Amino acid sequence: MSRSSRKRSTSDLVVVANRMPVDRVVDDDGEVTWRRSPGGLVSALEPVMRANNGAWIGWPGDTGSDIEPFEDDGLTLVPVTMSEQEHNEFYEGFSNATLWPLYHDLVAKPSFHREWWESYVTVNQRFADAAAKFAAKDAIVWVQDYQLQLVPAMLRELRPDLRIGFYLHIPFPPAELFSQLPWRRQILEGLLGADLVGFQLSGAAQNFVRLVRQRVGHKTHRDAVYLPDGRVVQARAFPISIDFAGFEELARSEGVTARAEEIRRDLGNPTKLFLGIDRLDYTKGIYARLRAFSELIADGEFSVEDAMFVQVATPSRERVDQYRLLRDDIDRLVGRINGDLGRIGRPAISYLHSSFPREEMAALYRAADIMVVTPFRDGMNLVAKEYVACRYDSDGALVLSEFAGASNELRQAYLVNPYDINGMKARMLEAYRADPKDLSRRMRAMRKTVAENDVSHWASAFLDALSAVQPTHSKSTRPARRS
Ligand code: G6P
């Protein structure tokens, strides 16, 4: 990866996200290098960012000393640092113990602390200051996700010439839940600094517009909010997606094909392999799904020779209490299920608490007959779409929660209510016993949907809509597109 200290220049397209698109790697000699992280967001935005001298402002993932902005393969990367206390209060606290559970249907109880809110304001201001500094005149700035909801208004205050977009990757709750937040008005006003506020689903956009009308008192009509200064803010749905072609290509590669066979062999060639891949998060419904699977074995519907469940749980937010408790709960459940139902060399569940590179994920998707994605609430869920992209033979079954945003598009999945264990058992069994022709019909339809609506489609739909917004303070240009 080419890297050099940056020349001081500004960018026509600035992305502001809590995470940077690179990971900081310190080798044995203490030398620091950066490795491009394989997120869908950065690959989708890369072409348009390169064409616009793009800059990415983000947190490098640790606390400590300031790091100078640098160039990486044509992108300007601007690290925003935070102190240990800010990490506790802004990231673990307000972002992940207040907003995260509040925005996910109160699956866990949110904590409200005034010091956490103060850190949220301080860190948001730091991101806004960095964006103001690196954005060229009339540039487009695209702010990402719940950690940075105050940035749009803070940035507009500093730089009224900019065209500002905001995209929320997680659900936006109905007024009845959102109204618990002591700082509800400030968050709404923060978002209203944007010209375009994007959500996963149209229901979320409607929740936002309704709240703005009720709590801030602005006039609204459909997806538009009319501000007293004449500015119009649009709130619309842009369902996010994945690099469909990239995943399919990876899935077809020799290395992944061989690895998928090896995985099945190592597991003792079960007749049917069930798979779950999630961040270890209480919104994902891992506990209920493993219980449902184990009950199917206990009920005698199939044996541990017939079926095995591989559950990958990627470590996440490990210092937040609720995540720690969840890990203990899952450890205990898996131990109990395997103790009760497993045989020598045949556990019912193969549980992996670790994160894997894309190649290994693709091999797991290829190896699995039934993918089980059962969150209690999820903005989209890209794992479901990745599984579909990897099934190029149009085989395999997807069991999918009605409460994942992806269920809006993947209508041919085996849809389940994750709160209904018996219902989940019935659908998992249906997928297990399904006729290959039926599976193929479902998978073909889902593949068509995801192929036609991939992540570059998502990025251009958002940026085109943002470019089409009539600027009130300045004239602005569309971002140049690479052909
Ligand atoms: C979700 C959020 C992202 C977040 C990611 C990983 O997908 O929408 O904003 O980056 O989870 O969580 P983390 O706390 O590790 O950034």
Side-chain angles (χ1 to χ4, degrees), residues 64 72 98 148 184 263 267 333 352 386 406 419 447 450 473:
D72 166 39
T98 306
L148 301 177
R184 57 199 181 193
I263 289 171
L267 293 170
L333 179 71
L352 303 158
E386 288 171 5
Y419 293 96
R447 286 177 58 76
V450 185
H473 296 281

Side-chain angles (χ1 to χ4, degrees), residues 200-253:
Q200 300 280 16
L201 304 179
S202 53
Q206 285 157 17
N207 288 345
F208 172 71
V209 171
R210 178 171 161 225
L211 268 157
V212 165
R213 195 170 53 240
Q214 284 179 348
R215 297 278 169 205
V216 195
H218 293 321
K219 241 182 80 193
T220 68
H221 179 63
R222 296 186 179 201
D223 55 9
V225 178
Y226 300 91
L227 303 191
D229 67 359
R231 217 157 53 78
V232 180
V233 179
Q234 303 277 344
R236 288 175 43 193
F238 299 87
I240 201 168
S241 194
I242 56 154
D243 175 9
F244 182 88
F247 262 98
E248 174 166 348
E249 194 187 323
L250 188 62
R252 285 181 185 275
S253 70

Side-chain angles (χ1 to χ4, degrees), residues 18-19 91 96 100 145-147 169-170 279 316-317:
N18 189 46
R19 294 270 180 192
Y91 172 72
N96 289 315
W100 182 267
D145 228 354
Y146 63 102
Q147 302 93 343
H169 293 250
I170 69 172
R279 265 185 322 98
S316 183
R317 307 172 191 165

Side-chain angles (χ1 to χ4, degrees), residues 259-481:
R259 177 66 188 138
E261 282 165 16
E262 187 178 49
I263 289 171
R264 287 194 75 106
R265 233 187 358 261
D266 288 352
L267 293 170
N269 285 316
T271 319
K272 296 269 162 144
L273 186 62
F274 288 75
L275 174 66
I277 300 185
D278 311 81
R279 265 185 322 98
L280 186 48
D281 194 296
Y282 49 80
T283 58
K284 302 289 184 184
I286 301 171
Y287 193 97
R289 121 182 23 141
L290 295 181
R291 258 191 68 191
F293 176 76
S294 71
E295 285 188 18
L296 287 170
I297 298 176
D299 296 349
E301 299 292 359
F302 43 68
S303 70
V304 286
E305 278 77 26
D306 295 330
M308 183 183 281
F309 203 118
V310 171
Q311 175 65 54
V312 175
T314 307
S316 183
R317 307 172 191 165
E318 289 182 287
R319 299 198 319 187
V320 179
D321 284 347
Q322 279 147 337
Y323 289 78
R324 256 202 285 248
L325 294 174
L326 174 73
R327 184 173 178 193
D328 291 346
D329 287 347
I330 304 279
D331 283 354
R332 221 172 303 127
L333 179 71
V334 171
R336 201 172 67 220
I337 293 172
N338 283 339
D340 287 348
L341 302 172
R343 309 222 181 111
I344 292 209
R346 285 280 181 181
I349 296 166
S350 175
Y351 176 56
L352 303 158
H353 179 248
S354 48
S355 64
F356 293 110
R358 250 163 70 101
E359 289 73 19
E360 184 72 358
M361 304 272 271
L364 284 162
Y365 294 138
R366 290 298 306 150
D369 302 289
I370 302 158
M371 183 81 215
V372 190
V373 181
T374 56
F376 293 123
R377 179 60 71 194
D378 209 332
M380 175 53 64
N381 197 292
L382 297 179
V383 161
K385 291 187 173 179
E386 288 171 5
Y387 180 69
V388 166
C390 289
R391 306 307 301 191
Y392 53 80
D393 289 332
S394 293
D395 57 1
L398 174 64
V399 175
L400 179 62
S401 165
E402 293 165 18
F403 304 124
S407 71
N408 230 35
E409 293 166 88
L410 303 178
R411 302 307 300 167
Q412 297 80 7
Y414 291 88
L415 294 177
V416 297
N417 169 2
Y419 293 96
D420 171 12
I421 302 258
N422 282 349
M424 224 168 10
K425 284 168 68 179
R427 296 303 266 164
M428 282 162 80
L429 197 56
E430 214 182 306
Y432 176 85
R433 292 185 177 152
D435 172 41
K437 275 212 209 86
D438 183 34
L439 290 181
S440 164
R441 182 187 55 77
R442 290 169 181 264
M443 190 54 81
R444 268 201 314 274
M446 293 193 285
R447 286 177 58 76
K448 184 164 183 284
T449 304
V450 185
E452 283 170 3
N453 298 284
D454 69 356
V455 71
S456 58
H457 175 90
W458 167 80
S460 36
F462 186 93
L463 289 172
D464 286 351
L466 182 55
S467 304
V469 172
Q470 282 304 314
T472 42
H473 296 281
S474 65
K475 60 176 178 352
S476 185
T477 48
R478 295 167 72 86
R481 306 298 282 279

